[in-house]
Amino acid sequence: MALCAATFVAGRVWGVPDIVTAPAQAGAARPGPQFALFAALIACYVGLEAGYGAWTVRYLTEVGVGGAALILSGFWGALTVGRVLTGVFAARWEPSRVVLLCAAALAVCAAAALRPELAAGAHLLAGLALAPVFGTTLAWLTRTLSARLVPFLLVAGSLGGVIAPALLGGCSPAGARRPYRRSCCCWPSCSPSSRS
């Protein structure tokens, strides 16, 4: 309730930005393939966010890192702080650049998490790396395609959040290390920037 009130007060004090619609582009007549890439990107993103939430404690406990639940809370805190910082700073860059930078940062975090001495910090930084992706992808889609496709993009994200943690867990019958290797390789390849 307090967060809702704070959001309302912030909106009243600073105002809510206008939504600017992008002019129709020539390539947007057949949005199917491009939308499919956006849907895959957001499904992978939400899947990774949910996967980190579902597997962080188990993985950190298996590799002997103490305070795994606290580190998971730090991941969610970093994700929240990162989204606020995205609102302040990310508008200066093209959405495709932000998403690709986040993908590279997440790949580094996932690789670092394989080393127990770096795992705690890597999970916190992964929260920061994932933070800009959701909002930036929505903004990117509305610049490139019709904003009417956003609800379908949200459905794709929900599917990713349901399916990916189970798939990550299924990849790891012998332990929790393998989901991180899979996530490190999976998400950056879904970016639609190379095809937009």
Side-chain angles (χ1 to χ4, degrees):
M1 185 71 154
L3 285 175
C4 291
T7 302
F8 178 75
V9 169
R12 296 292 289 165
V13 171
W14 288 295
V16 178
D18 290 330
I19 296 175
V20 179
T21 57
Q25 297 178 356
R30 295 189 48 169
Q34 198 169 21
F35 175 76
L37 290 170
F38 276 110
L41 170 65
I42 209 73
C44 288
Y45 161 76
V46 174
L48 281 171
E49 182 182 296
Y52 266 95
W55 289 101
T56 292
V57 172
R58 178 177 174 199
Y59 172 74
L60 292 174
T61 302
E62 272 194 16
V63 298
V65 176
L70 184 61
I71 293 167
L72 178 60
S73 295
F75 165 81
W76 291 114
L79 189 81
T80 302
V81 169
R83 287 191 174 158
V84 171
L85 294 174
T86 299
V88 174
F89 297 110
R92 298 177 181 145
W93 297 304
E94 284 296 314
S96 59
R97 186 171 295 208
V98 173
V99 170
L100 288 175
L101 180 65
C102 291
L106 184 62
V108 170
C109 291
L114 295 174
R115 299 191 48 106
E117 64 273 11
L118 301 175
H123 282 80
L124 296 175
L125 292 174
L128 285 174
L130 282 169
V133 177
F134 191 79
T136 303
T137 302
L138 292 178
W140 187 9
L141 175 99
T142 58
R143 281 187 187 179
T144 308
L145 300 171
S146 171
R148 291 180 180 177
L149 295 173
V150 168
F152 300 106
L153 194 69
L154 297 177
V155 169
S158 295
L159 289 173
V162 169
I163 295 169
L167 290 176
L168 291 172
C171 292
S172 183
R177 283 186 174 218
R178 287 168 115 184
Y180 287 90
R181 291 185 187 135
R182 298 282 192 261
S183 67
C184 179
C185 299
C186 159
W187 183 62
S189 64
C190 290
S191 176
S193 66
S194 61
R195 303 184 201 253
S196 60

